[in-house]
Amino acid sequence: MRPMLLIASLLLPFAAPASAALAPGAKAPDFVAKGAIAGKPFTLHLRSQLRKGPVVLYFFPAAFTGGCNAEARAFAEAVDDFRAAGATVIGMSADPLDKLEAFSAQHCAGKFAVASATPRVVRGYDVALGAKAPGKNAPVRTSRTSYVIAPDGRILYAHDDASPLEHVQRTLAAVQSWHRQHGGGRS
């Protein structure tokens, strides 16, 4: 078992459930955002990603911080398991694109996309964390919240917890459950 997944599995029995802003069954807001994968910028459209299958959309507070680095590495280690279940992983924060370009190459190991959450995306997913930057409408950070979104755009699963330890394991379990129920096809 991979090191981060092993740690998460050992801590799971002691964790209290957390609640996220968008409940299962809610419609996930569609968005277009600037992002990066393997250090290269591109434009990310949620609806296009959902055509491939479920999307794990995980918000993190800030690139190049301890918990966010560990969480990105854990998602990168598990990305093949997500793909085997038909899912795409996307990380998002309120960080600027240039910072996310470096983060995508270094801590995401070029294995999945990260994107810069606009104020509209932050509001739509209700993931604002802390105060707004002076003179700006955008929040300084996003909360650590993970969503699994079905191909029809509905929230399948949500996990909101400041600790990065369980996000990968719990979202992977939700994706695998969806995959078993749908025989690997789109819903």
Side-chain angles (χ1 to χ4, degrees):
M1 183 176 271
R2 296 180 183 111
M4 287 301 293
L5 292 176
L6 176 62
I7 292 169
S9 67
L10 293 173
L11 295 175
L12 185 59
F14 305 105
S19 62
L22 295 178
K27 187 75 172 164
D30 189 28
F31 62 85
V32 175
K34 297 294 183 188
I37 188 163
K40 295 179 173 67
F42 76 105
T43 300
L44 174 81
H45 188 180
L46 179 62
R47 188 175 336 152
S48 295
Q49 297 300 312
L50 289 170
R51 288 186 193 122
K52 302 174 194 174
V55 168
V56 174
L57 180 63
Y58 87 92
F59 290 89
F60 58 95
F64 297 107
T65 59
C68 297
N69 295 348
E71 185 178 28
R73 285 191 300 270
F75 270 110
E77 287 176 4
V79 80
D80 289 337
D81 296 328
F82 283 101
R83 287 183 182 143
T88 300
V89 173
I90 301 168
M92 286 197 94
S93 77
D95 287 321
L97 184 58
D98 60 339
K99 189 173 183 181
L100 292 175
E101 287 173 3
F103 186 73
S104 74
Q106 186 175 351
H107 292 290
C108 305
K111 293 188 176 187
F112 62 92
V114 290
S116 186
T118 64
R120 185 178 77 79
V121 170
V122 172
R123 280 190 307 277
Y125 284 88
D126 198 14
V127 292
L129 178 66
K132 295 179 180 177
K136 294 187 177 183
N137 261 344
V140 174
R141 294 183 176 191
T142 57
S143 64
R144 190 177 313 281
T145 303
S146 297
Y147 293 103
V148 177
I149 306 169
D152 69 359
R154 299 270 172 208
I155 303 293
L156 291 172
Y157 177 79
H159 182 68
D160 184 20
D161 190 341
S163 171
L165 293 177
E166 296 179 27
H167 289 263
V168 173
Q169 183 177 8
R170 288 180 178 238
T171 56
L172 181 57
V175 167
Q176 290 170 333
S177 176
W178 178 89
H179 186 74
R180 283 189 300 275
Q181 292 172 3
H182 294 87
R186 291 181 41 222
S187 104

